[in-house]
Amino acid sequence: MHSRRRPLRAPDRFWNDFSAKPARFTEADRAHYAALYAGPGRMHAGFLQFAAFDQDAIDNRAWMATHGKLTMPVLAIGGEKSFGATMAAVTRAGAVDVQERVIADAGHWLMEEQPDATVKAIRDYLDAPVVTTRVRFGPVSLSSEQVDRIATTGAGTGTSGMAGIRTVLLSGDPAKPGSYTLEIRVPAHTTIAPHTHRDDRVATVVSGTWYFGYGADTSTTTLRALGAGGFYSEPGRVPHFAATRDEAAVVRITGTGPSDTAFVSAATPR
């Protein structure tokens, strides 16, 4: 017997594996794209887009080192069965005001699988009033005496959330897009378990001795003692932990919100 089944084109696997439901990628669409890519040099040109990824990463880092992250509102859309919310998470590496949309029951091919929902998401974004919660830097000049007079709050967004820690917000808002600077005042004999923040942050010890370390396992990492003037970084999503011992410490932290705090579940008390 001879099968009358249509031979599987090479691109079919690519379309099928990346779809939530391959049947939605119609035969007419497949034939259309196959014909376009069949021309001389077109597959080569298409693959060059992917070959450029490494250079894109280099160029993006160089641009952000000079200019910083994009400040305009950005829409990031992902298919539920594909990148989903990861599209927005990745986009936040290069933009501070990212609005997230996830198209339900769609894979990689949004316009082929869920065209109406995708167009609506884009149209709703473009038609909405331009509203951004991004906080821009304003002129702020404070003496140490003025900083000391600012009312403190409990441990809020961008902090460990631990009782006893007091926070002074010096500029911006870590709960919103945009740059912020806050100061945490940590009592003696406080231990902060391993945790991460979504944004990249830098910190300076203002007073006291701050014991700081990187990693998710406190049993294998030695805390480094940082006195007044000590500096360290908190790269986004990199676990770190800290403590005070016989004296309180004040630490000033700067980041680009929105920030958050996620404790590492396997943390071992130190």
Side-chain angles (χ1 to χ4, degrees), residues 24 36 146 201 203 232 252 254:
R24 291 203 186 107
L36 290 178
Q146 289 173 316
R201 295 144 53 107
Y232 64 94
R252 191 167 292 167
T254 296

Side-chain angles (χ1 to χ4, degrees), residues 24 29 77 82 98-99 131 138 150 221 246:
R24 291 203 186 107
D29 287 337
I77 304 180
S82 182
V98 178
Q99 299 187 33
V131 176
I150 297 175
T221 303
D246 292 335

Side-chain angles (χ1 to χ4, degrees), residues 63-116:
W63 195 93
M64 286 196 295
T66 301
H67 304 284
K69 294 184 179 183
L70 299 177
T71 59
M72 76 287 283
V74 175
L75 176 65
I77 304 180
E80 177 192 14
K81 307 298 184 181
S82 182
F83 289 103
T86 302
M87 287 296 295
V90 170
T91 304
R92 290 188 181 102
V96 300
D97 191 358
V98 178
Q99 299 187 33
E100 175 183 315
R101 301 290 187 277
V102 176
I103 305 301
D105 198 24
H108 188 70
W109 319 107
L110 298 181
M111 286 302 297
E112 285 72 27
E113 299 182 67
Q114 295 289 356
D116 292 341

